[in-house]
Structure formats: C-alpha cells, structure tokens
Amino acid sequence: TQLLEQSPQFLSIQEGENLTVYCNSSSVFSSLQWYRQEPGEGPVLLVTVVTGGEVKKLKRLTFQFGDARKDSSLHITAAQPGDTGLYLCAGLQTGANNLFFGTGTRLTVIP
Amino acid sequence: NAGVTQTPKFRILKIGQSMTLQCAQDMNHNYMYWYRQDPGMGLKLIYYSVGAGITDKGEVPNGYNVSRSTTEDFPLRLELAAPSQTSVYFCASSYSRQGNEQFFGPGTRLTVL
C-alpha cells in the first residue's frame, strides 16, 4: 500500500493550459513537500508547507496544504515546456525521521 | 560545494554479484538517506542515518546493507544481487529532520541480469 497517492499519474497538456496535481493520504502529516525531478537527475525541492490550509505561491505554481493536513495540491497556471518533469509530493509524519514519497505525476507540456 | 555525489552513474551486475554504491556529501549534513526509484512507484526508502555510526532501516531494506563511519560518506552495499534490485538508486542528505529539505545526488542506474 502507498501512503501518499498522487493523481493523475500522467498528464500531457498544451503550452498555456492550466493544470492541477493532487496528493492524497488517509494519514496526517506535520509537513508536506513538493519536488520536481527531471530525467537523469535527482528530485529538487520546490516548496514545503507546514500549516493546515496554507497556500504558497512560486511564480506560476500554487501549492495548498489541506485543512486536515492529509492532502495537498499543486496548481500550475499557463504551463510552459520548462515545467515538464516528474512531480513528487513527500510527507513527514510527526516524530518520524524520514519522508514518505508519493507515486509521482509525470507532466509533459507540449509547445 | 559539490553537494551530494554518487558513483558509479551506471552499472550492470550479474545475479549473485555484489557491489557498493558510493555516496558523499560536503554540506556537513547529519541525515543521509538511500532510496530506490522504480518506474511508476515513486521513491522508496532503503536505509537512513541520523549521524556517523547510526543507521536504521527504511521501507525496503532487504538485500542491502549500509554503514556510516563518517559524516560525509554513506555507502550502500548490495550482497547477492537479484533482478528485483534493478532500479535507480538515489542518495540524499538533509541538515536536520525539521523541515527536512533533502538534497539528492544524480542517481545510480543499476541493472541486474
């Protein structure tokens, strides 16, 4: 069983479109992170959210942490080809030393 | 700073062979991690360490061993390689558990035939 489920698993859109990626769990997390991974490289942190209901913006990317701290979403406005990559959410449970990673969403933005 | 470095980048093993994946970081991070990434499965934690001399199992430790004799190095040992260990292996490090931003190496792509 997977602690964090992401949807959709694959997403292919045209440049300029908007999209939302979801990260869901039945467990509560003290914090949740989003990473982006490009082919042949390791994941790179985009954002950390720690408060239920928190919204963070990073240019065209908007991240939200659910009120109950069990889920999160990533919304991209006017997607660009440079947004192409694998998006991973990762949650830290209270008292744990390590992150649990989601299944990932592979995004392709077509010029 | 080089960040997190991993060697080798690629390796092909025969069933039953052994090898060590090397990982080093120059950021003076206490926490280090080994993950494997299989297609469509995200990242699974193999082992982690909270400091020199301290290691602990993650979600999928079977078939692997680690050691942490220094803050900088965290090698992963595969004994008796099996096809199920074909994967991409990532090493990561973080300064602390709080916030726990992890910095990843470039990965080692391992194929066991």
Side-chain angles (χ1 to χ4, degrees):
Chain A
T1 56
Q2 190 74 26
L3 193 61
L4 281 165
E5 296 284 348
Q6 288 185 238
S7 62
Q9 189 175 358
F10 298 96
L11 188 56
S12 182
I13 62 171
Q14 294 290 129
E15 181 177 359
E17 293 183 347
N18 302 333
L19 66 114
T20 303
V21 175
Y22 299 94
C23 174
N24 295 301
S25 176
S26 57
S27 300
V28 175
F29 296 96
S30 59
S31 65
L32 196 137
Q33 297 179 332
W34 284 91
Y35 289 80
R36 181 168 69 207
Q37 184 179 18
E38 301 195 14
E41 299 181 8
V44 176
L45 179 70
L46 295 173
V47 77
T48 301
V49 285
V50 298
T51 305
E54 182 177 3
V55 176
K56 280 192 174 179
K57 293 195 174 188
L58 185 66
K59 296 184 180 178
R60 294 176 293 100
L61 279 60
T62 302
F63 304 86
Q64 185 162 7
F65 201 11
D67 291 341
R69 290 184 290 130
K70 293 183 179 180
D71 55 82
S72 181
S73 64
L74 158 60
H75 182 80
I76 301 179
T77 303
Q80 304 292 314
D83 296 328
T84 293
L86 178 67
Y87 288 81
L88 295 161
C89 65
L92 181 67
Q93 293 186 302
T94 302
N97 280 317
N98 54 278
L99 293 170
F100 286 95
F101 278 82
T103 48
T105 293
R106 190 166 298 279
L107 171 65
T108 302
V109 181
I110 302 166
Chain B
N1 287 350
V4 179
T5 57
Q6 292 183 239
T7 57
K9 290 187 73 71
F10 304 93
R11 184 73 186 267
I12 299 175
L13 286 181
K14 294 183 179 179
I15 294 173
Q17 287 186 319
S18 300
M19 77 164 293
T20 298
L21 281 67
Q22 301 293 343
C23 174
Q25 52 92 8
D26 62 358
M27 297 175 282
N28 201 32
H29 286 169
N30 290 319
Y31 287 68
M32 295 188 74
Y33 313 82
W34 273 106
Y35 294 91
R36 57 177 290 170
Q37 185 173 37
D38 300 325
M41 297 298 290
L43 291 161
K44 295 285 190 184
L45 183 66
I46 304 171
Y47 270 95
Y48 68 98
S49 168
V50 302
I54 306 170
T55 62
D56 209 345
K57 296 179 181 179
E59 300 173 72
V60 290
N62 292 344
Y64 307 94
N65 277 299
V66 293
S67 59
R68 183 96 182 271
S69 57
T70 67
T71 299
E72 294 78 20
D73 300 297
F74 191 39
L76 177 71
R77 178 82 177 161
L78 278 71
E79 305 281 2
L80 299 174
S84 61
Q85 292 178 305
T86 293
S87 190
V88 181
Y89 291 85
F90 288 98
C91 178
S93 72
S94 64
Y95 179 68
S96 70
R97 189 196 72 84
Q98 293 295 331
N100 216 15
E101 175 180 357
Q102 295 190 9
F103 295 83
F104 286 81
T108 294
R109 184 175 294 275
L110 175 67
T111 302
V112 182
L113 300 174

